[in-house]
Amino acid sequence: MSGLVHGAVYGVLILAVVLTTSGLWIWGERKFAARLQTRLGPTIVGPFGLLQAVADVLKLLQKEDIIPAQADRALFNLAPVLAAFCALGVAAVIPFSPDVIASDLDVGVLYILGLGALTTIAIFLGGWASNNKFALLGGMRSVAQAISYEIPLVLAAMVPVILAGSLSVSDIVRWQVGHHMFALWPIVPGLPAFGIFFMAMLAESNRIPFDIPEAESELVGGITTEYTGIKFTLFYMAEYVHTLVGSAVAAALFLGGWDGPFAPGLHWMVAKTLVLFVSVYWIRWSLVRFRSDQLLTMCWRYLVPASVLLVLAAALWVQLFPEFL
Amino acid sequence: MNQGIAALSFLGVTFGIVMSLLIAGRILRVRARVESPLKHRPYECGEEPEGMAWMQFHARYYLVALFFVLFDVEAVFLFPWSTVIRSLGTSTLIEVVAFVLVLMIGWLYGMRKGALKWQ
């Protein structure tokens, strides 16, 4: 099968699954959050409120499209498209099983980091083009936070690259399968790198405790203040997809991807991704948000040197125990 | 199979899905019966909007950006090294440690100076 057809077929399949999951999670998250807070959540629309997701999406599609008079129209329209495009596009190089992968790029990790980082630009474009003070403040905070946490993210992702000696995501998973890295082995660079990656991923997708870019008690809606209808939906969707795809990347890079006993690889990969995805929302509904300066201090003072040390530790491990690898 | 073409084709599908969502929104959306100029005013919690939002940035963000460029360039230099580390041996590792050390001295200096302190 040629690359063109393969990419398109797997693109449709994978994106359909990703979009359905994040769409259903509108219902899932509301139900989940409600249970955490001893409420019932949606119960009216359909059995157990299951059709709530459909109702929400239909409502959002019907909303009037308002563009502020003073906004930069071109950038205002471009931003949500770019955000959704970048968040979804990352899914191209994620191996869901040895066969289920849209494109096994040999620079997969760089592709993920590069396209993932573009989301920041989309968010700032939205904040800037709205010509709204809340949106601009949200955009500025978002950029400051995202570029800060980009460093630990990139350096933590470098640890499995060093251990596996390849930038291809499926090669990294294959290395983990070969070395039974089910429990993040070797522990020294592996486990803290996973922690830092997961934390930086939360920050990149603006999730609590890192959600100051859209702190609704101070910034109304942050960058989405002026957005309505489908454009708001695209931003919102991009955030969910970013979290879901980020969980899949973390599962592939650190948790052994499709590796696991008794069940087919695809099931293991999906299970690992969903566990990470749900824990993101568990964290979201359990913690409070930090202050902007606390976030930046934590990143630059602790996470950056820690991730630099982890990269060097991984390099040292490869040098000291080449026979283990 | 050419993986690069597959990735591009995937991105094409992604773009198509995003655009079709936009078009669905355009078809299904409700149009206002009465246009009101107030609707197109920047939202400032009901207050009269005060001036434009396009203003100069706080210098703090400039410093964060400067730090980001430094460390991102470091990461760019480390990535090619990270894939061939096994064949290059210990001497390269020492060189990389020296390279990172120089950068971390700069980091320490910046932190001591309170470059990212919020006041």
Side-chain angles (χ1 to χ4, degrees), chain B residues 34-100:
Chain B
V34 189
E35 271 300 334
S36 155
L38 289 180
K39 220 184 248 177
H40 298 274
R41 220 165 63 168
Y43 176 76
E44 282 185 20
C45 305
E47 296 284 323
E48 286 283 332
E50 186 80 35
M52 297 275 272
W54 290 334
M55 52 191 164
Q56 286 185 328
F57 283 28
H58 198 299
R60 183 88 51 231
Y61 295 106
Y62 158 79
L63 278 175
V64 171
L66 213 57
F67 264 83
F68 165 72
V69 170
L70 279 179
F71 278 89
D72 219 35
V73 169
E74 182 209 10
V76 166
F77 280 129
L78 287 184
F79 257 109
W81 162 77
S82 66
T83 52
V84 288
I85 180 165
R86 224 156 286 164
S87 50
L88 286 180
T90 320
S91 62
T92 329
L93 179 62
I94 294 169
E95 282 165 26
V96 165
V97 168
F99 168 61
V100 169

Side-chain angles (χ1 to χ4, degrees), chain A residues 28-42 285:
Chain A
E29 189 194 0
R30 287 180 65 176
K31 210 74 178 164
F32 183 67
R35 292 296 175 180
L36 285 181
Q37 300 167 344
T38 51
R39 295 184 284 117
L40 283 177
W285 289 99

Side-chain angles (χ1 to χ4, degrees), chain A residues 7-311:
Chain A
V9 170
Y10 277 88
V12 171
L13 286 176
I14 291 175
L15 291 178
V17 171
V18 166
L19 286 174
T20 317
T21 314
S22 28
L24 274 179
W25 190 244
I26 295 174
W27 171 81
E29 189 194 0
R30 287 180 65 176
K31 210 74 178 164
F32 183 67
R35 292 296 175 180
L36 285 181
Q37 300 167 344
T38 51
R39 295 184 284 117
L40 283 177
T43 51
I44 306 294
V45 196
F48 310 108
L50 253 173
L51 295 176
Q52 186 68 47
V54 183
D56 281 354
V57 170
L58 276 180
K59 180 200 73 182
L60 282 167
L61 280 173
Q62 286 178 1
K63 288 284 179 190
E64 193 184 346
D65 183 29
I66 297 175
I67 301 174
Q70 292 176 329
D72 187 329
R73 287 182 77 95
L75 294 184
F76 187 83
N77 290 331
L78 173 69
V81 178
L82 191 64
F85 176 74
C86 295
L88 285 169
V90 173
V93 293
I94 296 171
F96 289 92
S97 83
D99 313 314
V100 185
I101 174 169
S103 163
D104 189 8
L105 276 184
D106 47 6
V107 287
V109 176
L110 283 183
Y111 173 90
I112 290 171
L113 295 172
L115 208 58
L118 276 183
T119 321
T120 315
I121 293 179
I123 287 178
F124 187 68
L125 274 186
W128 174 260
S130 299
N131 198 354
N132 177 306
K133 290 170 193 95
F134 295 118
L136 182 68
L137 280 174
M140 286 206 297
R141 285 180 178 190
S142 179
V143 171
Q145 177 182 312
I147 64 174
S148 297
Y149 280 85
E150 189 71 22
I151 306 297
L153 186 88
V154 168
L155 291 177
M158 206 183 281
V159 169
V161 171
I162 288 175
L163 292 173
S166 168
L167 279 168
S168 151
V169 186
S170 62
D171 273 357
I172 291 175
V173 177
R174 238 170 258 127
W175 177 84
Q176 295 175 59
V177 174
H179 294 86
H180 300 288
M181 208 179 96
F182 189 60
L184 303 162
W185 191 88
I187 292 290
V188 183
L191 190 60
F194 170 67
I196 289 178
F197 186 88
F198 191 66
M199 224 149 107
M201 189 201 87
L202 282 181
E204 292 279 313
S205 49
N206 300 328
R207 284 290 170 218
I208 281 182
F210 303 102
D211 79 329
I212 41 158
E214 45 178 290
E216 61 266 27
S217 48
E218 1 178 327
L219 289 184
V220 189
I223 50 142
T224 53
T225 304
E226 295 289 357
Y227 281 94
T228 55
I230 186 67
K231 287 173 198 155
F232 171 79
T233 317
L234 284 180
F235 263 125
Y236 206 68
M237 192 187 82
E239 217 165 75
Y240 277 77
V241 170
H242 201 281
T243 320
L244 180 61
V245 171
S247 307
V249 171
L253 287 184
F254 294 97
L255 299 182
W258 64 71
D259 190 20
F262 310 125
L266 185 62
H267 295 190
W268 273 103
M269 180 63 187
V270 169
K272 287 170 186 175
T273 304
L274 285 183
V275 165
L276 285 181
F277 184 60
V278 171
S279 46
V280 168
Y281 288 90
W282 197 345
I283 292 169
R284 178 181 185 189
W285 289 99
S286 307
L287 296 184
V288 292
R289 76 172 62 96
F290 293 137
R291 242 167 35 214
S292 193
D293 62 320
Q294 290 171 327
L295 285 180
L296 294 184
T297 308
M298 183 172 80
C299 176
W300 287 109
R301 194 164 281 251
Y302 304 107
L303 291 186
V304 167
S307 50
V308 168
L309 280 180
L310 283 178
V311 166

